[in-house]
């Protein structure tokens, strides 16, 4: 999920996309991106210039101003439609507001503050910092359904996002 505010990209969106591209290669999975809001056509077109399988433009008049309920409902519907195995979000104040609620809708946890990830035994191991960065903990999410993780600022380099060309598909949630 790429984050925007007032039809302007949040810097951490590109770090999240860099992580998604890296993990997509590790897992042998295609990477898709979603941008949520109103009037986001130019942002979706910009994201389509990155190495992605598809960009989802999740647009609705009620998504003009951010609300946790609106973003949760819209992204829940998109996730139900696309059935991803992994949902990555930047670790921002806005995400901390809606992402735990979104993960709970799928009976999952949100692995927050992820600073690294690696593939191991066919699954993903997330590394997150504990005790104000004094310790690192490895987290492996069990169960079925999408895995949700928020990525810490600076953990992946935004300038490592691969360029490409992808299609933009509009998604109109029921709100």
């Amino acid at each position: 999920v790429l984050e925007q505010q007032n039809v302007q990209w949040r810097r951490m969106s590109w770090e999240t996309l860099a992580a998604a591209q890296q993990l997509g290669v590790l897992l042998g999975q295609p990477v898709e991106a979603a941008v949520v809001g109103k009037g986001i056509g130019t942002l979706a077109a910009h994201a389509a210039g990155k190495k992605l399988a598809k960009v989802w433009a999740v647009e609705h008049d009620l998504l003009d101003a951010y609300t946790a309920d609106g973003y949760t409902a819209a992204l829940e519907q998109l996730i139900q439609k696309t059935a991803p195995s992994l949902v990555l979000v930047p670790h921002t104040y806005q995400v901390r507001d809606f992402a735990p609620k979104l993960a709970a809708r799928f009976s999952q946890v949100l692995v927050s503050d992820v600073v690294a990830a690696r593939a191991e035994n066919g699954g993903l191991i997330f590394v997150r910092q504990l005790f104000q960065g004094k310790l690192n903990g490895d987290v492996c999410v069990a169960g079925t359904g999408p895995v949700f993780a928020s990525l810490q600022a600076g953990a992946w380099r935004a300038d490592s996002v691969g360029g490409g060309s992808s299609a933009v598909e509009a998604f109109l949630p029921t709100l």
Side-chain angles (χ1 to χ4, degrees):
V1 177
L2 303 175
E3 188 175 318
Q4 61 87 25
Q5 186 175 31
N6 300 321
V7 195
Q8 297 291 320
W9 287 120
R10 301 294 294 265
R11 175 187 57 85
M12 286 182 58
S13 292
W14 304 118
E15 295 173 11
T16 303
L17 183 53
Q21 288 177 338
Q22 178 188 350
L23 294 174
V25 169
L26 273 177
L27 299 172
Q29 295 290 321
V31 177
E32 296 181 356
V35 59
V36 181
K38 178 183 173 190
I40 55 169
T42 57
L43 294 179
H46 181 245
K50 308 301 178 193
K51 185 178 179 183
L52 293 163
K54 184 182 293 187
V55 175
W56 291 95
V58 183
E59 192 161 11
H60 193 285
D61 287 344
L62 294 175
L63 296 171
D64 187 29
Y66 167 77
T67 65
D69 289 340
Y71 272 55
T72 299
L75 287 169
E76 178 185 16
Q77 292 170 45
L78 179 65
I79 291 167
Q80 287 171 341
K81 176 184 174 76
T82 60
S85 59
L86 178 62
V87 177
L88 300 176
V89 292
H91 190 77
T92 63
Y93 289 113
Q94 180 173 297
V95 165
R96 285 186 273 189
D97 189 38
F98 78 84
K101 181 178 184 174
L102 178 62
R105 295 259 176 112
F106 292 89
S107 299
Q108 294 291 326
V109 298
L110 170 69
V111 182
S112 63
D113 296 305
V114 171
V115 295
R118 66 183 184 277
E120 195 172 287
N121 298 326
L124 270 179
I125 305 293
F126 295 104
V127 180
R128 61 182 309 270
Q129 294 182 330
L130 307 166
F131 301 109
Q132 297 177 342
K134 292 181 176 81
L135 295 173
N136 283 346
D138 289 353
V139 178
C140 178
V141 179
T144 60
V147 173
F148 293 84
S150 70
L151 308 179
Q152 192 59 255
W156 280 267
R157 294 180 52 114
D159 61 2
S160 69
V161 171
S165 179
S166 59
V168 174
E169 187 167 332
F171 180 77
L172 178 65
T174 302
L175 300 176

